[in-house]
Coordinates of all heavy atoms in Angstrom, one line a residue:
M26 N 0.8 -1.2 0.0 CA 0.0 0.0 0.0 C 0.9 1.2 0.0 O 2.0 1.2 0.3 CB -0.9 0.0 1.2 CG -0.3 -0.1 2.6 SD -1.5 -0.4 3.9 CE -2.3 1.2 4.0
K27 N 0.3 2.4 -0.4 CA 1.0 3.6 -0.4 C 1.1 4.3 0.9 O 0.1 4.3 1.6 CB 0.3 4.5 -1.5 CG 1.3 5.5 -2.2 CD 0.6 6.3 -3.2 CE -0.2 7.4 -2.7 NZ -0.8 8.3 -3.7
C28 N 2.3 4.9 1.2 CA 2.4 5.6 2.4 C 1.8 6.9 2.4 O 2.0 7.7 1.4 CB 3.9 5.7 2.7 SG 4.3 6.8 4.2
D29 N 0.9 7.2 3.4 CA 0.3 8.6 3.4 C 1.2 9.7 3.7 O 0.9 10.9 3.5 CB -0.8 8.5 4.6 CG -2.1 7.9 4.1 OD1 -2.2 7.6 2.9 OD2 -3.0 7.8 4.9
I30 N 2.4 9.4 4.2 CA 3.3 10.5 4.7 C 4.3 10.9 3.5 O 4.4 12.0 3.2 CB 4.0 10.0 5.9 CG1 3.0 10.0 7.0 CG2 5.1 11.1 6.4 CD1 3.4 9.3 8.3
C31 N 5.0 9.8 3.0 CA 5.9 10.2 1.9 C 5.4 9.8 0.5 O 6.0 10.2 -0.5 CB 7.2 9.4 2.1 SG 7.1 7.6 2.0
G32 N 4.2 9.1 0.4 CA 3.6 8.9 -0.9 C 4.2 7.7 -1.7 O 3.8 7.4 -2.8
K33 N 5.2 7.1 -1.1 CA 5.8 6.0 -1.9 C 5.2 4.7 -1.5 O 4.7 4.5 -0.4 CB 7.3 5.9 -1.5 CG 8.2 7.0 -2.0 CD 9.6 6.9 -1.5 CE 10.4 8.0 -1.9 NZ 11.8 8.0 -1.3
P34 N 5.2 3.7 -2.5 CA 4.6 2.4 -2.2 C 5.6 1.7 -1.3 O 6.8 2.0 -1.2 CB 4.5 1.8 -3.6 CG 5.5 2.4 -4.4 CD 5.7 3.9 -3.9
G35 N 5.1 0.6 -0.6 CA 6.0 -0.2 0.2 C 5.6 -0.1 1.7 O 6.2 -0.8 2.5
A36 N 4.6 0.6 2.0 CA 4.1 0.6 3.4 C 3.3 -0.7 3.6 O 2.6 -1.2 2.8 CB 3.2 1.8 3.6
R37 N 3.5 -1.2 4.9 CA 2.8 -2.4 5.3 C 2.0 -2.2 6.5 O 2.4 -1.4 7.4 CB 3.8 -3.5 5.5 CG 4.4 -4.1 4.3 CD 5.6 -4.9 4.7 NE 6.4 -5.2 3.5 CZ 6.2 -6.2 2.6 NH1 5.2 -7.0 2.9 NH2 6.9 -6.3 1.6
Q38 N 0.9 -2.9 6.6 CA 0.0 -2.8 7.7 C 0.3 -4.0 8.6 O 0.4 -5.1 8.2 CB -1.5 -2.8 7.3 CG -2.4 -2.5 8.4 CD -3.8 -2.3 7.8 OE1 -4.1 -1.3 7.2 NE2 -4.7 -3.2 8.1
R39 N 0.4 -3.6 9.9 CA 0.6 -4.7 10.9 C -0.3 -4.4 12.0 O -0.7 -3.4 12.4 CB 2.1 -4.6 11.5 CG 3.1 -5.3 10.7 CD 4.3 -5.6 11.5 NE 4.8 -4.3 12.1 CZ 6.1 -4.0 12.3 NH1 7.0 -4.9 11.8 NH2 6.4 -2.9 12.9
N40 N -0.8 -5.6 12.6 CA -1.7 -5.5 13.7 C -0.9 -5.5 15.1 O -0.3 -6.6 15.3 CB -2.8 -6.5 13.7 CG -3.7 -6.3 12.6 OD1 -3.8 -5.2 12.0 ND2 -4.5 -7.4 12.2
V41 N -1.0 -4.5 15.8 CA -0.1 -4.5 17.0 C -1.1 -4.0 18.2 O -2.0 -3.2 18.0 CB 1.1 -3.5 16.9 CG1 2.0 -4.0 15.8 CG2 0.6 -2.1 16.6
P42 N -0.7 -4.4 19.4 CA -1.5 -3.9 20.6 C -1.0 -2.6 20.9 O 0.1 -2.2 20.8 CB -1.1 -5.0 21.7 CG 0.2 -5.5 21.3 CD 0.3 -5.4 19.8
R43 N -2.0 -1.7 21.4 CA -1.7 -0.3 21.8 C -2.3 -0.1 23.1 O -3.4 -0.5 23.4 CB -2.2 0.6 20.8 CG -1.4 0.6 19.5 CD -2.0 1.6 18.5 NE -1.6 3.0 18.8 CZ -0.5 3.6 18.3 NH1 0.2 3.0 17.4 NH2 -0.2 4.8 18.6
N44 N -1.6 0.7 23.9 CA -2.1 1.1 25.3 C -2.7 2.5 25.2 O -2.0 3.4 24.6 CB -1.0 1.1 26.3 CG -0.5 -0.3 26.5 OD1 -1.1 -1.3 26.1 ND2 0.7 -0.4 27.0
Y45 N -3.8 2.7 25.9 CA -4.4 4.1 26.0 C -4.7 4.3 27.5 O -5.1 3.5 28.2 CB -5.7 4.2 25.2 CG -5.4 4.1 23.7 CD1 -5.5 2.9 23.0 CD2 -5.0 5.2 23.0 CE1 -5.1 2.8 21.7 CE2 -4.7 5.2 21.6 CZ -4.8 3.9 21.0 OH -4.5 3.8 19.7
G46 N -4.4 5.6 27.8 CA -4.6 6.0 29.3 C -3.6 5.3 30.2 O -2.6 4.7 29.7
K47 N -3.9 5.4 31.5 CA -2.9 4.8 32.5 C -3.7 4.6 33.8 O -4.8 5.1 34.0 CB -1.7 5.7 32.7 CG -2.0 7.1 33.2 CD -0.8 7.9 33.3 CE -1.2 9.4 33.6 NZ 0.0 10.2 33.7
G48 N -3.0 3.7 34.7 CA -3.7 3.5 35.9 C -5.0 2.8 35.7 O -5.1 1.8 34.9
E49 N -6.0 3.2 36.4 CA -7.3 2.5 36.4 C -8.0 2.7 35.1 O -8.9 1.9 34.7 CB -8.2 3.0 37.5 CG -7.8 2.6 38.9 CD -8.8 3.0 40.0 OE1 -9.8 3.6 39.6 OE2 -8.5 2.8 41.1
S50 N -7.6 3.7 34.4 CA -8.3 3.9 33.1 C -7.5 3.4 31.9 O -7.7 3.6 30.8 CB -8.6 5.4 32.8 OG -7.3 6.1 32.8
L51 N -6.5 2.5 32.3 CA -5.7 1.9 31.2 C -6.5 1.0 30.3 O -7.3 0.2 30.8 CB -4.5 1.1 31.8 CG -3.6 0.4 30.8 CD1 -2.9 1.4 29.9 CD2 -2.7 -0.5 31.5
L52 N -6.4 1.2 29.1 CA -7.1 0.4 28.1 C -6.1 -0.2 27.1 O -5.4 0.6 26.5 CB -8.2 1.2 27.4 CG -8.9 0.5 26.3 CD1 -9.7 -0.7 26.7 CD2 -9.9 1.5 25.6
V53 N -6.1 -1.5 27.0 CA -5.2 -2.1 25.9 C -6.1 -2.6 24.8 O -7.1 -3.4 25.1 CB -4.5 -3.3 26.6 CG1 -3.6 -3.9 25.5 CG2 -3.7 -2.9 27.7
I54 N -5.8 -2.1 23.6 CA -6.6 -2.6 22.5 C -5.6 -3.4 21.6 O -4.6 -3.0 21.2 CB -7.1 -1.4 21.7 CG1 -8.0 -0.4 22.5 CG2 -7.9 -1.9 20.5 CD1 -8.4 0.8 21.8
E55 N -6.0 -4.7 21.4 CA -5.1 -5.5 20.7 C -5.4 -5.5 19.1 O -6.5 -5.2 18.8 CB -5.3 -7.0 21.1 CG -4.8 -7.1 22.6 CD -4.6 -8.5 23.0 OE1 -5.6 -9.3 22.9 OE2 -3.5 -8.9 23.5
N56 N -4.5 -5.9 18.4 CA -4.6 -6.0 16.9 C -5.1 -4.7 16.3 O -6.0 -4.6 15.4 CB -5.6 -7.1 16.6 CG -5.1 -8.4 17.0 OD1 -3.9 -8.7 16.9 ND2 -6.0 -9.3 17.5
V57 N -4.4 -3.6 16.6 CA -4.7 -2.3 16.0 C -4.0 -2.2 14.7 O -2.7 -2.4 14.7 CB -4.3 -1.1 16.9 CG1 -4.6 0.2 16.2 CG2 -5.1 -1.1 18.2
P58 N -4.6 -2.0 13.6 CA -3.9 -2.0 12.3 C -3.1 -0.7 12.2 O -3.6 0.4 12.2 CB -5.0 -1.9 11.2 CG -6.4 -2.0 12.0 CD -6.1 -1.8 13.5
T59 N -1.8 -0.9 12.2 CA -0.8 0.2 12.2 C 0.0 0.1 10.9 O 0.5 -1.0 10.5 CB 0.1 0.1 13.4 OG1 -0.6 0.0 14.6 CG2 1.0 1.4 13.5
V60 N 0.1 1.2 10.2 CA 0.9 1.2 8.9 C 2.3 1.6 9.2 O 2.6 2.6 9.9 CB 0.2 2.3 7.9 CG1 0.9 2.2 6.6 CG2 -1.3 1.9 7.7
H61 N 3.2 0.8 8.7 CA 4.6 1.1 8.9 C 5.3 1.2 7.5 O 5.0 0.4 6.6 CB 5.3 -0.1 9.6 CG 4.9 -0.2 11.0 ND1 5.7 0.5 12.0 CD2 3.9 -0.8 11.6 CE1 5.0 0.3 13.2 NE2 4.0 -0.6 13.0
C62 N 6.0 2.3 7.3 CA 6.7 2.6 6.0 C 8.1 2.4 6.1 O 8.8 3.0 7.0 CB 6.3 4.0 5.6 SG 7.1 4.4 4.1
S63 N 8.7 1.6 5.3 CA 10.1 1.3 5.3 C 10.9 2.5 4.6 O 12.1 2.6 4.7 CB 10.5 0.0 4.7 OG 10.0 -0.1 3.4
N64 N 10.2 3.3 3.8 CA 10.9 4.4 3.1 C 11.2 5.6 4.0 O 12.3 6.1 4.0 CB 10.0 4.8 1.9 CG 9.9 3.8 0.8 OD1 10.9 3.3 0.3 ND2 8.7 3.4 0.5
C65 N 10.1 6.0 4.7 CA 10.4 7.1 5.6 C 10.4 6.7 7.1 O 10.7 7.6 7.9 CB 9.3 8.2 5.4 SG 7.6 7.6 5.8
G66 N 10.2 5.5 7.4 CA 10.3 5.0 8.7 C 9.2 5.4 9.6 O 9.3 5.2 10.9
E67 N 8.1 5.9 9.1 CA 7.0 6.4 9.9 C 6.1 5.2 10.2 O 5.9 4.2 9.5 CB 6.2 7.4 9.2 CG 6.9 8.8 9.1 CD 6.9 9.5 10.5 OE1 6.2 9.1 11.4 OE2 7.8 10.3 10.6
G68 N 5.4 5.3 11.3 CA 4.3 4.4 11.7 C 3.1 5.2 12.1 O 3.2 6.1 12.8
Y69 N 2.0 4.9 11.5 CA 0.8 5.7 11.8 C -0.5 4.9 11.7 O -0.5 3.8 11.1 CB 0.8 6.9 10.8 CG 0.7 6.5 9.4 CD1 -0.6 6.5 8.7 CD2 1.8 6.2 8.6 CE1 -0.7 6.1 7.4 CE2 1.7 5.8 7.3 CZ 0.5 5.8 6.7 OH 0.4 5.4 5.4
L70 N -1.5 5.5 12.1 CA -2.9 4.9 12.1 C -3.6 5.6 11.0 O -3.5 6.9 10.8 CB -3.6 5.0 13.4 CG -2.8 4.4 14.6 CD1 -3.6 4.6 15.9 CD2 -2.4 3.0 14.4
T71 N -4.5 4.9 10.3 CA -5.4 5.6 9.3 C -6.5 6.2 10.0 O -6.8 5.9 11.2 CB -6.0 4.6 8.3 OG1 -6.8 3.6 9.0 CG2 -4.9 3.8 7.6
A72 N -7.2 7.2 9.4 CA -8.3 7.9 9.9 C -9.4 6.9 10.4 O -10.1 7.1 11.4 CB -8.9 8.9 8.9
Q73 N -9.6 5.9 9.6 CA -10.7 4.9 9.9 C -10.3 4.2 11.2 O -11.2 3.9 12.0 CB -10.8 3.9 8.7 CG -12.1 3.1 8.8 CD -12.1 2.0 7.8 OE1 -11.2 1.9 7.0 NE2 -13.0 1.1 8.0
T74 N -9.0 3.9 11.3 CA -8.6 3.1 12.5 C -8.8 4.1 13.8 O -9.2 3.6 14.8 CB -7.1 2.7 12.4 OG1 -7.0 1.9 11.3 CG2 -6.6 2.0 13.7
L75 N -8.4 5.3 13.6 CA -8.6 6.3 14.8 C -10.0 6.4 15.2 O -10.4 6.5 16.3 CB -8.0 7.7 14.3 CG -6.5 7.7 14.2 CD1 -6.1 9.0 13.6 CD2 -5.8 7.5 15.6
K76 N -10.9 6.4 14.2 CA -12.3 6.5 14.4 C -12.8 5.3 15.3 O -13.6 5.4 16.2 CB -13.1 6.5 13.1 CG -14.2 7.5 13.1 CD -14.9 7.3 11.7 CE -15.3 8.6 11.0 NZ -16.0 8.3 9.7
E77 N -12.4 4.1 14.8 CA -12.7 2.9 15.4 C -12.2 2.8 16.9 O -12.9 2.3 17.8 CB -12.1 1.7 14.7 CG -12.5 0.3 15.1 CD -14.0 0.0 15.0 OE1 -14.7 0.7 14.3 OE2 -14.4 -1.0 15.6
I78 N -11.0 3.3 17.1 CA -10.4 3.3 18.5 C -11.3 4.3 19.4 O -11.5 3.9 20.5 CB -8.9 3.8 18.4 CG1 -8.1 2.7 17.8 CG2 -8.5 4.3 19.8 CD1 -6.7 3.1 17.5
E79 N -11.7 5.4 18.8 CA -12.5 6.3 19.6 C -13.8 5.6 20.0 O -14.3 5.7 21.2 CB -12.9 7.6 18.8 CG -11.8 8.6 18.7 CD -11.2 9.0 20.2 OE1 -12.1 9.3 21.0 OE2 -10.0 8.9 20.3
R80 N -14.4 4.8 19.1 CA -15.6 4.1 19.4 C -15.4 3.0 20.5 O -16.2 2.9 21.4 CB -16.1 3.4 18.1 CG -17.5 3.0 18.1 CD -17.9 2.2 16.8 NE -17.1 1.0 16.6 CZ -17.4 -0.1 17.3 NH1 -18.4 -0.2 18.1 NH2 -16.7 -1.2 17.1
I81 N -14.2 2.3 20.4 CA -13.9 1.3 21.4 C -13.7 2.0 22.8 O -14.2 1.4 23.8 CB -12.6 0.5 21.0 CG1 -12.9 -0.3 19.7 CG2 -12.1 -0.4 22.1 CD1 -11.7 -1.0 19.1
K82 N -13.0 3.1 22.8 CA -12.8 3.8 24.1 C -14.1 4.2 24.7 O -14.3 4.1 25.9 CB -11.9 5.0 23.8 CG -10.4 4.6 23.7 CD -9.5 5.8 24.0 CE -9.3 6.7 22.8 NZ -8.2 7.7 23.0
Q83 N -15.0 4.7 23.9 CA -16.3 5.1 24.3 C -17.1 4.0 24.9 O -17.6 4.1 26.0 CB -17.1 5.7 23.1 CG -18.2 6.6 23.6 CD -17.7 7.9 24.3 OE1 -16.8 8.5 23.8 NE2 -18.3 8.2 25.4
N84 N -17.1 2.9 24.3 CA -17.7 1.6 24.8 C -17.1 1.2 26.1 O -17.9 0.9 27.0 CB -17.5 0.5 23.8 CG -18.5 0.5 22.7 OD1 -19.5 1.2 22.7 ND2 -18.3 -0.3 21.7
Q85 N -15.8 1.3 26.2 CA -15.1 0.9 27.4 C -15.5 1.8 28.6 O -15.8 1.3 29.7 CB -13.6 1.0 27.2 CG -12.8 0.3 28.3 CD -12.9 -1.2 28.2 OE1 -13.4 -1.7 27.3 NE2 -12.5 -1.8 29.3
Q86 N -15.6 3.1 28.3 CA -16.0 4.0 29.4 C -17.4 3.7 29.8 O -17.7 3.8 31.0 CB -15.9 5.5 28.8 CG -14.5 6.0 28.9 CD -14.4 7.3 28.2 OE1 -15.4 7.9 27.8 NE2 -13.2 7.8 28.1
N87 N -18.3 3.4 28.9 CA -19.7 3.1 29.2 C -19.7 1.8 30.1 O -20.5 1.8 31.1 CB -20.5 2.9 28.0 CG -20.7 4.1 27.2 OD1 -20.5 5.3 27.7 ND2 -21.2 4.0 25.9
Q88 N -18.9 0.9 29.8 CA -18.9 -0.4 30.5 C -18.3 -0.1 32.0 O -18.8 -0.7 32.9 CB -18.0 -1.4 29.9 CG -18.7 -2.2 28.8 CD -17.9 -3.1 28.0 OE1 -16.7 -3.4 28.5 NE2 -18.3 -3.6 26.9
Q89 N -17.3 0.7 32.1 CA -16.7 1.0 33.4 C -17.8 1.7 34.2 O -17.8 1.5 35.4 CB -15.4 1.9 33.2 CG -14.3 1.0 32.9 CD -13.0 1.8 32.7 OE1 -13.1 3.0 32.6 NE2 -11.9 1.1 32.5
T90 N -18.5 2.7 33.7 CA -19.5 3.3 34.4 C -20.6 2.4 35.0 O -21.0 2.4 36.1 CB -20.2 4.4 33.5 OG1 -19.2 5.2 32.9 CG2 -21.1 5.3 34.4
A91 N -21.0 1.4 34.1 CA -22.0 0.4 34.5 C -21.4 -0.5 35.6 O -22.1 -0.8 36.6 CB -22.4 -0.4 33.4
A92 N -20.1 -0.8 35.5 CA -19.5 -1.7 36.5 C -19.4 -1.1 37.8 O -19.6 -1.7 38.9 CB -18.1 -2.1 36.0
S93 N -19.1 0.2 37.9 CA -18.9 0.9 39.1 C -20.2 1.0 39.9 O -20.2 1.4 41.1 CB -18.2 2.3 39.0 OG -19.1 3.1 38.3
K94 N -21.3 0.9 39.3 CA -22.6 1.0 39.9 C -23.0 -0.4 40.7 O -24.0 -0.4 41.4 CB -23.7 1.3 39.0 CG -23.6 2.8 38.6 CD -24.7 3.2 37.6 CE -24.5 4.7 37.2 NZ -25.2 5.0 35.9
R95 N -22.2 -1.4 40.4 CA -22.5 -2.7 41.1 C -22.3 -2.5 42.6 O -21.3 -1.9 43.1 CB -21.5 -3.7 40.6 CG -21.9 -4.3 39.2 CD -21.1 -5.5 38.9 NE -21.0 -5.7 37.5 CZ -20.0 -6.2 36.8 NH1 -19.0 -6.7 37.5 NH2 -20.0 -6.4 35.6
P96 N -23.2 -3.0 43.4 CA -23.1 -2.9 44.9 C -22.0 -3.8 45.5 O -21.5 -3.5 46.6 CB -24.4 -3.3 45.4 CG -25.0 -4.2 44.3 CD -24.4 -3.8 43.0
V97 N -21.6 -4.9 44.8 CA -20.6 -5.8 45.4 C -19.2 -5.5 44.8 O -19.0 -5.4 43.6 CB -21.0 -7.2 45.0 CG1 -20.0 -8.2 45.7 CG2 -22.4 -7.5 45.6
A98 N -18.3 -5.2 45.7 CA -16.9 -5.0 45.3 C -16.2 -6.4 45.0 O -16.5 -7.4 45.7 CB -16.1 -4.3 46.4
V99 N -15.4 -6.4 44.0 CA -14.7 -7.7 43.7 C -13.3 -7.6 44.1 O -12.6 -6.6 43.9 CB -14.8 -7.9 42.2 CG1 -14.0 -9.2 41.8 CG2 -16.2 -8.0 41.7
A100 N -12.8 -8.6 44.9 CA -11.5 -8.7 45.4 C -10.9 -10.0 45.0 O -11.6 -10.9 44.7 CB -11.4 -8.4 46.9
A101 N -9.6 -10.1 45.1 CA -8.9 -11.4 44.9 C -7.8 -11.6 45.8 O -7.1 -10.7 46.2 CB -8.4 -11.4 43.4
F102 N -7.6 -12.9 46.2 CA -6.5 -13.3 47.0 C -5.2 -13.2 46.2 O -5.2 -13.7 45.1 CB -6.6 -14.7 47.6 CG -7.7 -14.7 48.7 CD1 -8.9 -15.2 48.5 CD2 -7.3 -14.2 49.9 CE1 -9.9 -15.3 49.5 CE2 -8.3 -14.3 51.0 CZ -9.6 -14.8 50.7
E103 N -4.1 -12.8 46.8 CA -2.8 -12.8 46.1 C -2.3 -14.2 46.1 O -2.3 -14.9 47.0 CB -1.8 -11.9 46.9 CG -2.3 -10.4 46.7 CD -2.2 -9.8 45.3 OE1 -1.3 -10.3 44.5 OE2 -2.9 -8.9 45.0
Ligands
ZN212 ZN1 6.6 6.7 4.0

């Protein structure tokens, strides 16, 4: 595929995990399609991928809000 940054062919798409946020709001999204170009060395996400990530983050926030309303706290033995 063509690189959006330098315009040369040879860019490849790879699915890699990416982290968003930190601490309790850390969100790991796996298999994010990331474009890597061997000509200019850039790695970037397409507009469509960014849109999809925004949607996933929104879903995640909604789920967390729902989870925090549960009356029972969940704990685990070390
Ligand atoms: Zn490039």
Side-chain angles (χ1 to χ4, degrees):
M26 60 191 289
K27 207 173 81 173
C28 173
D29 276 356
I30 295 168
C31 67
K33 290 180 185 167
R37 286 167 195 274
Q38 190 171 288
R39 274 198 309 217
N40 291 343
V41 297
R43 291 179 76 96
N44 298 339
Y45 292 94
K47 56 184 174 182
E49 286 183 7
S50 62
L51 177 68
L52 172 63
V53 179
I54 305 177
E55 294 193 308
N56 297 323
V57 177
T59 308
V60 181
H61 289 271
C62 176
S63 54
N64 292 307
C65 63
E67 286 291 340
Y69 62 94
L70 306 179
T71 63
Q73 196 194 346
T74 301
L75 289 170
K76 220 187 224 179
E77 184 65 14
I78 286 169
E79 281 308 310
R80 198 182 62 79
I81 291 170
K82 282 202 278 193
Q83 201 64 46
N84 278 349
Q85 191 71 13
Q86 277 172 6
N87 293 344
Q88 277 176 16
Q89 279 178 351
T90 307
S93 67
K94 282 177 185 160
R95 281 187 206 154
V97 180
V99 178
F102 285 104
E103 293 292 330

